[in-house]
Amino acid sequence: MANGQWYPPEWPERIRALAEGTLTPVPPKRAATVMLLKDTDTTPVVHMLRRRASMAFAAGAYAYPGGGVDPRDDEHQIRWAGPTRAWWANRLGVDETSAQAVVCAAVRETYEEAGVLLAGPTPDTVVGDTTGDEWEADRAALVARDLSFAEFLDRRGLVLRSDLLGAWTRWITPEFESRRYDTWFFVAALPEGQRTRNASTEADRTVWIHPADAAASYDKGELTMMPPTIATLRQLVPYGTAADALAAAPERDLTPVLAKARLENGELILAWPGHDEFTKHIPTGGASA
């Protein structure tokens, strides 16, 4: 492997089946992930976690906090600060109830997996400390899906701070994958007074790392990542502060990135539009080029 691109061994067979019409794509589930940034004396660092070796999907790969949308967060009206639900619906390309659920998923997953909560008692504050037994009990209930995020916010009397998020990009898992997600990537800055911790049962390590350093380690094959992760890391490199990245987010193109596979000259070619570095040439015998 010349770099750290994670490449599932079953892809060639599934790509061939899709090309032959014997594989029916599964509908993608809505998901959200957050690139949490923190300023340093030089450039911002981003919070990343390493997926446990025991995970069935992308084991050992570095990623950001993220996960699926909870449908229970679609309709429940929560206390909301920042751009309106209508604004978010237009930005994300969905209806208003879906927009609320996607934003809720981004904030919930950041709390579940990093212990950072983008919410506060008023529209212009954030909670200062999310440690302690009561907070941990609520976080565990969210992870177990015994509690919806909307219910959690109501119970705590908290306002969701949608203004602390910036929608960055959108990737859809390729049609030949057995697990598919329609994922919105967000950027956010670590709130003052809060700190990250490895609260995820899916990760065995977390790091704060400069995007350029993480990308260089990927290029050397030292860090394993999926295409959306390394692509977004490269996009973060030019920004000198977390605020700069957040300010740039509203102008970013959210056209979904979806890999396409085709059969050409005896090999399968897998390509992500606009991201030539991920193109794969797969001989029909099944080996990776």
Side-chain angles (χ1 to χ4, degrees), residues 183-205:
T183 305
W184 286 265
F185 286 69
F186 295 84
V187 290
L190 179 69
E192 185 176 353
Q194 293 194 35
R195 62 183 186 273
T196 57
R197 58 192 176 92
N198 184 8
S200 173
T201 59
E202 299 180 355
D204 60 10
R205 183 186 184 215

Side-chain angles (χ1 to χ4, degrees), residues 85-194:
R85 293 168 178 81
W87 184 93
W88 278 107
N90 181 67
R91 179 74 180 113
L92 301 178
V94 296
D95 59 53
E96 289 189 31
T97 55
S98 294
Q100 173 177 290
V102 171
V103 172
C104 277
V107 178
R108 187 198 73 236
E109 287 291 334
T110 306
Y111 178 51
E112 285 184 7
E113 298 194 346
V116 170
L117 183 57
L118 304 177
T122 66
D124 57 356
T125 60
V126 292
V127 296
D129 185 5
T130 62
T131 60
D133 292 343
E134 291 186 0
W135 283 103
E136 181 56 27
D138 278 351
R139 194 193 66 78
L142 287 168
V143 172
R145 298 296 181 261
D146 294 333
L147 181 69
S148 75
F149 193 66
E151 292 167 340
F152 164 75
L153 292 173
D154 282 351
R155 174 186 295 183
R156 289 276 177 178
L158 295 174
V159 182
L160 184 146
R161 292 289 305 276
S162 80
D163 55 317
L164 300 182
L165 286 169
W168 191 260
T169 190
R170 180 181 180 184
W171 287 64
I172 301 177
T173 309
E175 293 180 333
F176 48 81
E177 262 288 5
S178 57
R179 295 181 179 89
R180 299 191 64 215
Y181 297 95
D182 184 352
T183 305
W184 286 265
F185 286 69
F186 295 84
V187 290
L190 179 69
E192 185 176 353
Q194 293 194 35

Side-chain angles (χ1 to χ4, degrees), residues 37-57:
L37 302 173
K38 178 174 68 173
D39 287 331
T40 69
D41 291 337
T42 55
T43 56
V45 287
V46 63
H47 181 72
M48 303 189 75
L49 52 85
R50 184 176 65 185
R51 293 173 60 82
R52 292 185 182 276
S54 58
M55 297 296 293
F57 182 78

Side-chain angles (χ1 to χ4, degrees), residues 193-252:
Q194 293 194 35
R195 62 183 186 273
T196 57
R197 58 192 176 92
N198 184 8
S200 173
T201 59
E202 299 180 355
D204 60 10
R205 183 186 184 215
T206 62
V207 296
W208 282 102
I209 189 169
H210 292 280
D213 291 342
S217 293
Y218 166 90
D219 290 337
K220 296 174 185 176
E222 297 170 351
L223 296 184
T224 302
M225 300 177 200
M226 292 176 283
T229 309
I230 181 58
T232 48
L233 279 172
R234 297 199 199 284
Q235 292 161 0
L236 288 173
V237 169
Y239 298 97
T241 66
D244 290 342
L246 278 164
E251 302 303 319
R252 287 192 52 82

